[in-house]
Amino acid sequence: MSYRIRVWDLPTRLFHWLLAICVVVLVATAYAGAMQWHARAGYAVLALLLFRIVWGFVGGRWSRFASFLYAPRSVAAYLRGSAHPDHLVGHNPLGAGSVFAMLLVLLAQVGTGLVGDDEIAFQGPLNRFVSTARGLAATWYHRQVGQWLVIGLVLLHVAAIAWYVWKKRQVLVRPMVVGDKELAAPATPSRDDAVSRLAAAAIFGACSALVWWIVRLGSIPPA
């Protein structure tokens, strides 16, 4: 007997796929030299990341950080093959590490983009608030370190999905599309009703407004 459980609420699924699209656009525009579109994609990523941070505290059961913030002992048990039942519902310990790493790396990438200055084609909107040395250091990290960390994490993420399909016969993509998982035992579902979706839309709207304000702040002439 199997149980169909709503694991990923709609806001989490939209965040996941929109972030994936934006990261592809970021990489493509960086290599194409389309810096205006690169910046726009970066602003969209920042709004998405801010939303995900808030949603990690108020979102559906399995989207909350508390559901996949594992102790080292739990991670070790999973690696030994002694998985806790919760590991089979939402993010397992390895997937949780990937989520936190991606959030941190992307935040650093967007942050350095906001204050960076390549002295050729692009200057971040907040560059004037940092010293020249710090702006150049941010640009160096953004181009020489951060972009490769992002690409590496994306490739690792794709490889892990393929490995789970091939080795463990676990399809991880479909639940992130439809929201539900087929489980051998019952589990608490994530809330995913009209009220929570409207709340998510309001949160994302507020995060987008904050990003707009941050970008606009850089265009305001100093007093």
Side-chain angles (χ1 to χ4, degrees):
M1 182 177 181
S2 64
Y3 299 84
R4 183 183 291 268
I5 304 297
R6 175 53 53 93
V7 175
W8 305 123
D9 52 60
L10 181 62
T12 299
R13 284 177 277 149
L14 288 175
F15 160 81
H16 180 275
W17 295 114
L18 287 173
L19 184 66
I21 292 170
C22 286
V23 168
V24 171
V25 173
L26 278 176
V27 174
T29 52
Y31 281 93
M35 299 312 297
Q36 188 174 30
W37 285 103
H38 184 75
R40 290 169 179 168
Y43 303 149
V45 167
L46 179 57
L48 288 167
L49 293 175
L50 293 176
F51 164 79
R52 186 63 182 92
I53 291 171
V54 176
W55 200 241
F57 293 98
V58 301
R61 166 73 174 84
W62 301 103
S63 296
R64 297 190 180 191
F65 297 137
S67 73
F68 57 94
L69 190 62
Y70 298 111
R73 181 174 56 184
S74 181
V75 177
Y78 177 82
L79 294 175
R80 290 196 304 266
S82 303
H84 186 278
D86 284 356
H87 296 167
L88 306 177
V89 184
H91 290 300
N92 62 50
L94 295 182
S98 175
V99 170
F100 289 123
M102 186 67 77
L103 290 176
L104 289 173
V105 167
L106 284 174
L107 281 171
Q109 191 69 353
V110 172
T112 52
L114 287 173
V115 301
D117 181 7
D118 65 5
E119 298 186 310
I120 300 174
F122 180 76
Q123 183 180 79
L126 302 185
N127 175 259
R128 68 185 179 91
F129 295 105
V130 301
S131 66
T132 300
R134 289 184 177 179
L136 293 175
T139 302
W140 175 85
Y141 172 88
H142 191 86
R143 299 180 65 177
Q144 303 299 327
V145 179
Q147 71 162 325
W148 297 112
L149 289 177
V150 172
I151 292 173
L153 284 174
V154 169
L155 293 177
L156 183 62
H157 184 66
V158 173
I161 291 173
W163 184 82
Y164 270 90
V165 172
W166 172 66
K167 195 72 175 178
K168 294 197 171 187
R169 299 294 188 268
Q170 293 182 21
V171 180
L172 302 181
V173 175
R174 187 176 185 278
M176 192 55 75
V177 174
V178 301
D180 297 335
K181 261 189 179 182
E182 296 287 343
L183 302 172
T188 304
S190 286
R191 181 180 179 182
D192 190 21
D193 54 19
V195 173
S196 66
R197 293 177 180 182
L198 285 173
I203 293 170
F204 181 69
C207 293
S208 299
L210 177 60
V211 172
W212 176 84
W213 178 80
I214 290 173
V215 174
R216 184 175 179 275
L217 185 64
S219 66
I220 298 175

